[in-house]
Amino acid sequence: MAAARWVVVVAVAVTAAVALDNGVARTPPMGWLHWERFLCGTDCAAEPDRCVSERLFAEMADVMVAEGWKEAGYEFVCIDDCWMAPTRDEQGRLRADPRRFPSGIRALADYGLKLGIYSDVGNRTCAGFPGSYGHYELDAQTFASWGVDLLKFDGCNVGSLGLLAEGYRNMSLALNKTGRPIVYSCEWPFYLRPVQQPNYTEIKQYCNQWRNFYDVYDSWNSIKSIVEWTALHQDSIVKIAGPGGWNDPDMATLRGIFLFLSQLVIGNFGLSWEQAVTQMAMWAIMAAPLFMSNDLRHMKPEAKWLLQNREVIAINQDPLGKQGYRITKDKNFELWERPLSNRAYAVAVLNQQEIGGPQNFTFSLTFLGNGLACNPACCIQQVLPSSVDWGVHNWLSSLSVEVNPTGTVLLKVVPL
Ligand code: GLA
């Protein structure tokens, strides 16, 4: 037994990568990010409720405090692209667009929530605003002086892969030099991958979270392709995730519910209830940063219930910090698991069938945790789509789980 334990410790030591040593993001960061829902709206005269302006972020922050979002763990309110004035100031510093942010960014940082901001490694952001190239130290100092707590650093408009890598590294060092703990959210592997296999061990030394794949859209196709990409690349990306450094599948977008940064699109327009449940369950299994991109001022109760569900959030935020993986794919069904603290497991059964009604998937509990999740017996709690106690099961039993088309049943399995 002692020998077996020793082997496990060695295996963990070999695969664990060193995380960026800035003390933050020990669990996946949670918050709200404007991009998926509000994009680059700059016409505040025509669209005062929707333009990228201090009003939008202040209103979102107010709702986050008043309606339990902050209490549930969503602590960052994050500005994405399009916040800047078209030029830097006389000292070469970035500045917010004075018409849309008349009080300045610092006023938003003082608002009571943690504040996230956006810039780009290249000359221009993806939407064409001034980028940080040639100004990494100055921009890091500016953000720190405003009281910023998170930087999403995009990778558009940079001359070469060498400059991309150098820029991501240098901004990380510049942020550290400010002395202010700032979550550093990168898109480095996403921009690198078409040309070169990312070195995740290195990326984790510089970034707290990193996007691997395309932007999330408010559609089932988008959610499905992010989940499938993650499963196909799990051998290289799962082992790298852990406290201080996370794979970022982008925002969450739910309808009134919709939710992947990892933005959640729950609460928007494109996902059915089942699909929103799938996004929330899978983002928990993937240990994904939970950034909603929706309009919190107008949320349907079921979207709020799902996004604020304490049991799912506890799985997402589990302190062991291990990312889950797909165990098997059997016709339309996918079986995923995530090791949790105290030898527990989160288990997701996803039904990819898009025709017909609910279908059953039956599997042996010996599939879970290499046979150890329910050994010799376990308690099973259904977390999504609703909270149900499934009672005690023994190692040799099978579970039959009914799942709606494009839905997911999320379970927590606790060994006895
Ligand atoms: C890129 C990023 C998005 C968003 C936009 C802003 O597409 O991947 O998440 O930040 O730029 O222009």
Side-chain angles (χ1 to χ4, degrees), residues 69 256-257 266-267 294-301 303-304 307:
W69 298 98
I257 56 170
I266 303 177
N294 48 16
D295 191 342
L296 297 173
R297 298 166 299 189
H298 308 285
M299 293 292 283
K300 293 189 177 142
K304 189 170 170 188
L307 287 164

Side-chain angles (χ1 to χ4, degrees), residues 176 245 334:
N176 260 0
E334 299 186 19

Side-chain angles (χ1 to χ4, degrees), residues 280-349:
M280 196 64 184
M282 293 311 296
W283 268 226
I285 291 281
M286 294 188 292
L290 274 188
F291 284 84
M292 306 178 284
S293 192
N294 48 16
D295 191 342
L296 297 173
R297 298 166 299 189
H298 308 285
M299 293 292 283
K300 293 189 177 142
E302 64 273 25
K304 189 170 170 188
W305 177 86
L306 182 57
L307 287 164
Q308 292 194 3
N309 185 299
R310 297 298 198 271
E311 294 171 30
V312 191
I313 292 175
I315 291 173
N316 178 280
Q317 296 288 302
D318 185 84
L320 186 62
K322 281 193 178 294
Q323 181 172 338
Y325 41 82
R326 188 162 76 187
I327 302 176
T328 178
K329 184 168 176 161
D330 183 2
K331 300 197 185 85
N332 296 306
F333 280 103
E334 299 186 19
L335 181 64
W336 291 67
E337 71 177 13
R338 175 177 173 189
L340 304 175
S341 45
N342 300 321
R343 296 166 44 239
Y345 280 81
V347 174
V349 183

Side-chain angles (χ1 to χ4, degrees), residues 35 80-81 118 126-127 152 154 187 191 211 215 263:
W35 186 254
D80 205 291
D81 204 346
Y118 169 100
C126 299
K152 173 173 172 178
D154 216 331
E187 293 200 38
Y191 288 98
R211 283 265 309 277
D215 294 4
Q263 296 174 50

Side-chain angles (χ1 to χ4, degrees), residues 277 281 347-350 382 384-385 390 401-403 407-411:
V277 165
V347 174
V349 183
L350 164 59
Q382 179 181 304
L384 288 178
W390 285 19
V401 181
E402 187 184 280
V403 198
T408 295
V409 169
L410 180 67
L411 307 170

